[in-house]
Amino acid sequence: MNAIISASELASDLAGQRPPVLLDVRWQLSVAKAAGEPAFDGRAAYAAGHIPGAVYVDLDDELASEPGENGRHPLPDLEVFGAAMRRAGVTAARPVVVYDGGQGWAAARAWWLLRWTGHPDVRVLDGGLPTWEGPSQTSVPTPAEGDFEPVPGAGGLLDADGAAALARAGVLFDARAGERYRGEVEPIDRIGGHIPGAVSAPTNENVGGDGRFLPAEELAGRFKALGAADGSPVGVYCGSGVSGAHEVLALAVAGIDAALYVGSWSEWSSDPSRPVAVGPDPQ
């Protein structure tokens, strides 16, 4: 099953006999908030217009728990996450499509969580809301309560020790911008740099100028050139487990399974005992 869906395919599915549950997860990383400027308001954007039938899901409150020693976007409480999914009408028997404002990071976070907790059929709208040419609505739907019960999977999730081990035994991709990986700038976390052994693979290089993913064969070639070859285990981290989910999604499009270190650099860098590498060299 493809992990992404085009806007035209979504329109067709919504008009079919088994329309998907739609989740709107508009969100932006707010560096502006740290500077005292108003944060992006995804709920207000949703209220101003959304794909008909879509239910808004709050990334900070429902797809993550409170920031702390486990990072800026730790795993959500599964009871909170499950309740949010059921409120949105999510069931195991219906497909789910997730979209955001176009960047793809927030939608990928919801996609990853649903997959990790056992949903069998979830996809991301490739390119997000800007690709949608159909109608929009401002009214808030009230879908029938879903029955989805999240059950964490046995794999697909890394902690700090697991990420460190994978950087030695397989390939660990750092999905942040190259300058953050190299430690040249660090606008958010305590210190710049990367996990020793991690390979720089900025997630924005997985998409074209229109925000859509590159073709699967191009993505596969990119990741193989960076070391994801010969069946070696693959993992991804980023700043706080959001853009990293987008890279896990890109790997899935390329046909490569990957695990996500959810705590990511925000967790790793908060512990002074953990080693930090700087510069372009993984080590």
Side-chain angles (χ1 to χ4, degrees):
M1 184 191 70
N2 200 343
I4 57 176
I5 184 172
S6 69
S8 60
E9 291 170 328
L10 175 58
S12 177
D13 286 0
L14 288 172
Q17 297 296 313
R18 191 167 170 257
V21 174
L22 270 179
L23 306 181
D24 182 315
V25 197
R26 274 178 276 182
W27 171 90
Q28 290 180 12
L29 176 64
S30 183
V31 178
K33 185 178 180 181
E37 299 176 19
F40 173 79
D41 189 340
R43 194 175 296 276
Y46 169 83
H50 49 269
I51 298 176
V55 174
Y56 180 72
V57 176
D58 189 299
L59 186 147
D60 289 317
D61 293 340
E62 296 172 320
L63 304 182
S65 53
E66 287 290 324
E69 62 181 14
N70 293 321
R72 286 194 307 279
H73 291 102
L75 286 173
D77 180 290
L78 289 184
E79 290 189 6
V80 172
F81 172 65
M85 294 301 100
R86 291 188 293 274
R87 171 185 59 81
V90 174
T91 74
R94 281 181 66 190
V96 176
V97 172
V98 190
Y99 71 88
D100 58 24
Q103 188 179 43
W105 295 5
R109 171 75 174 216
W111 167 86
W112 181 85
L113 277 167
L114 280 164
R115 287 180 73 238
W116 178 64
T117 56
H119 198 285
D121 189 350
V122 54
R123 289 171 290 174
V124 168
L125 176 59
D126 192 18
L129 188 60
T131 68
W132 178 252
E133 297 180 351
S136 66
Q137 70 178 47
T138 57
S139 59
V140 178
T142 54
E145 182 83 2
D147 62 8
F148 181 68
E149 294 289 345
V151 179
L157 176 67
L158 296 170
D159 60 11
D161 290 339
L166 187 57
R168 297 189 299 269
V171 58
L172 179 67
F173 289 134
D174 184 318
R176 298 171 301 157
E179 59 268 25
R180 291 184 69 191
Y181 169 88
R182 295 187 296 271
E184 296 166 0
V185 298
E186 182 43 64
I188 306 172
D189 293 312
R190 184 184 67 85
I191 190 172
H194 58 269
I195 297 173
V199 176
S200 180
T203 197
N204 62 1
E205 295 180 16
N206 297 322
V207 299
D210 59 1
R212 293 179 174 92
F213 281 106
L214 300 177
E217 59 272 17
E218 289 188 33
L219 290 172
R222 179 191 187 217
F223 291 124
K224 288 178 180 177
L226 291 171
D230 302 323
S232 299
V234 178
V236 181
Y237 75 95
C238 57
S240 66
V242 180
S243 67
H246 190 261
E247 185 127 299
V248 173
L249 175 58
L251 283 154
V253 172
I256 301 169
D257 289 331
L260 177 64
Y261 172 26
V262 173
S264 285
W265 189 247
S266 60
E267 178 185 50
W268 183 279
S269 64
S270 68
D271 183 349
S273 71
R274 294 201 176 274
V276 171
V278 294
D281 192 313
Q283 301 301 328

